[in-house]
Amino acid sequence: MYTNKLVTLKANVKRMEYISVADIKIFFNINDAEAQELLDKLIQCGMVQPFPMDGIHFKVNR
């Protein structure tokens, strides 16, 4: 199920400008730790900048 969430998140992130842990939590209705893990996977894939723009939101690479 974790893989399904990551694939779904990758597909949706492509249409976004910025993403945060809170956005991921709301999208999947999951806890902080799992949302942070999904965000870390996006950073490892190179889909998201590794540092937050304003301390919360990460810029999506286009």
Side-chain angles (χ1 to χ4, degrees):
M1 187 154 162
Y2 173 76
T3 305
N4 292 338
K5 288 179 184 176
L6 184 59
V7 170
T8 303
L9 185 60
K10 283 182 177 181
N12 288 317
V13 164
K14 291 178 183 178
R15 293 182 264 148
M16 301 172 79
E17 294 283 328
Y18 300 97
I19 191 162
S20 69
V21 172
D23 294 334
I24 298 170
K25 281 177 56 178
I26 292 168
F27 187 68
F28 290 114
N29 195 22
I30 56 177
N31 62 18
D32 285 334
E34 193 173 356
Q36 184 63 48
E37 190 174 339
L38 286 170
L39 181 63
D40 291 341
K41 293 289 183 185
L42 289 177
I43 292 170
Q44 288 175 357
C45 293
M47 294 187 74
V48 178
Q49 294 291 320
F51 301 104
M53 302 279 297
D54 59 359
I56 299 172
H57 295 93
F58 293 80
K59 181 152 176 49
V60 175
N61 292 331
R62 299 249 169 195

